Amino acid sequence: MVLMRTPSTAVAFSIFGHEIRWYGILMALGVILAVILGAHEVKRKKMYRDTMYDLCLWAIPLGIIGARLYYVLFELDYYISNPVSILYIWEGGLAIYGAVIGGMIGIMIYSLRKKVRFLKLADIVAPGLVLAQAIGRWGNFFNQEAYGPLVTNDAHKWFPLAVQLDSGAIHYATFFYESMWCLLVFLVLWFFVRKRQKHDGDMILTYAMLYAFERMLVEQLRQDSLMLGSLRISQVLSGLIFIAVLVFIIVRVIREKKEGRLMWPAPETEETEEKEETEPACEDEGAETEQENGAESEDGTVYDNGEANE
């Protein structure tokens, strides 16, 4: 059976004459779930309780800006002729890699302001990010985008392998492939890596490697890839990310086995001990550092993420 849709299914409903599309609803749902999962991780790691919500103030706006700029950059000929349309994000034109890059910049800014390790914050976000991607890909189904080549083999004309467009043409359902892969990556992160990670950054690096591996393969099938000459930009970027992370992990394993300790990054407790050995601090300075880096709640729990109040 082929999964079909009609033009009207892209729009969920209208409010005062304004169309509310399924794509936006699904994206919003993904973001909400990501925030809930991130808040759960903040509590589990005994960090400052509002960390995830404060982080959203930086990561979400910069993620949207990044998603738009990434798309515009590789469709520059059109947007140079129509510069005002750069602002018309409701007409489509958002790229997930741009959203991730922009969001990571937001996390980096927050990390520097609060003096909290960037990788620790990125780990909090990683499971929710990939789950949001799994949900958001169904918006591509309603928008009739991110699909693969035309299906010419009658034996392949069934869902989830293929999807039928309004034109009646049947294409490979690459949006579905990516959605299911992202769901699988979420399960790996949430139920395996999260409980076994040894380093800050293990979650975000695993996400980056697994997602890049899938995107590198599926992007080859996409009919609407952003191009730079004859190169599919997202495919090239995915390949570079996959190789870089894989090489980093292999080299780190070899070095840690040789050194007999965790490194790249080392646990924060180890870093603190090394710093104290080289730069002894007086009791007053230690007290100030404790006040700046932690806040104690009424129940005695110490939160290690920045200031208690802005």
Side-chain angles (χ1 to χ4, degrees):
M1 181 181 68
V2 176
L3 185 63
M4 301 178 64
R5 60 173 293 286
T6 63
S8 61
T9 57
V11 179
F13 54 87
S14 297
I15 298 179
F16 304 117
H18 296 282
E19 295 180 341
I20 307 299
R21 294 177 173 266
W22 280 111
Y23 188 87
I25 293 173
L26 292 168
M27 291 286 286
L29 175 61
V31 170
I32 291 170
L33 290 177
V35 173
I36 292 172
L37 292 175
H40 179 277
E41 284 297 274
V42 165
K43 182 177 180 180
R44 184 177 71 89
K45 294 186 176 184
K46 293 183 171 58
M47 300 175 71
Y48 174 53
R49 64 174 64 87
D50 288 340
T51 295
M52 190 62 197
Y53 309 117
D54 292 343
L55 198 58
C56 287
L57 298 178
W58 291 96
I60 293 177
L62 287 176
I64 294 173
I65 293 170
R68 185 58 169 171
L69 290 180
Y70 187 99
Y71 183 87
V72 169
L73 181 63
F74 296 105
E75 296 287 347
L76 206 52
D77 290 342
Y78 172 78
Y79 287 105
I80 287 176
S81 302
N82 304 274
V84 177
S85 62
I86 293 175
L87 303 175
Y88 301 163
I89 62 173
W90 55 87
E91 293 182 352
L94 299 174
I96 185 60
Y97 266 132
V100 173
I101 293 169
M104 289 298 130
I105 291 173
I107 294 174
M108 178 63 74
I109 293 172
Y110 182 87
S111 168
L112 294 173
R113 291 184 73 248
K114 295 296 185 178
K115 297 180 174 59
V116 183
R117 180 178 276 180
F118 167 78
L119 291 175
K120 179 180 289 187
L121 297 172
D123 280 347
I124 291 170
V125 171
L129 170 61
V130 74
L131 180 61
Q133 288 178 245
I135 294 170
R137 278 300 173 194
W138 280 93
N140 298 135
F141 164 70
F142 290 106
N143 282 356
Q144 295 193 100
E145 58 193 8
Y147 51 79
L150 186 69
V151 178
T152 57
N153 188 336
D154 289 340
H156 295 172
K157 293 181 178 180
W158 49 273
F159 184 80
L161 189 61
V163 64
Q164 186 172 15
L165 306 184
D166 291 344
S167 64
I170 299 175
H171 289 258
Y172 287 100
T174 49
F175 80 89
F176 180 80
Y177 310 159
E178 182 158 327
S179 177
M180 292 300 99
W181 182 262
C182 287
L183 180 59
L184 178 61
V185 173
F186 165 73
L187 295 175
V188 169
L189 291 179
W190 192 256
F191 292 106
F192 294 97
V193 180
R194 187 172 66 101
K195 297 179 180 179
R196 295 168 175 80
Q197 70 177 111
K198 297 179 180 179
H199 313 81
D200 288 332
D202 283 354
M203 295 277 279
I204 194 66
L205 288 175
T206 302
Y207 156 77
M209 184 174 67
L210 294 180
Y211 176 70
F213 175 75
E214 172 272 326
R215 188 66 184 269
M216 180 175 59
L217 300 178
V218 173
E219 189 69 21
Q220 183 64 37
L221 301 174
R222 289 270 298 267
Q223 301 298 289
D224 57 353
S225 298
L226 294 174
M227 306 293 291
L228 183 61
S230 60
L231 299 176
R232 296 173 185 264
I233 298 304
S234 294
Q235 186 177 39
V236 172
L237 181 58
S238 295
L240 294 175
I241 291 173
F242 175 74
I243 293 171
V245 176
L246 182 61
V247 169
F248 171 80
I249 291 174
I250 291 173
V251 172
R252 183 172 68 179
V253 168
I254 294 172
R255 285 293 305 275
E256 287 184 345
K257 187 175 181 180
K258 181 179 179 180
E259 298 283 339
R261 63 186 177 91
L262 296 179
M263 54 195 304
W264 301 353
E268 285 188 310
T269 53
E270 184 175 317
E271 290 177 342
T272 303
E273 290 172 359
E274 292 175 355
K275 184 176 181 180
E276 288 176 351
E277 289 175 4
T278 56
E279 300 180 29
C282 67
E283 290 182 3
D284 290 341
E285 289 175 345
E288 289 178 5
T289 301
E290 183 177 353
Q291 278 189 331
E292 291 174 358
N293 292 340
E296 186 171 342
S297 67
E298 294 179 356
D299 62 2
T301 302
V302 176
Y303 300 94
D304 66 353
N305 186 10
E307 305 161 6
N309 295 292
E310 283 289 325

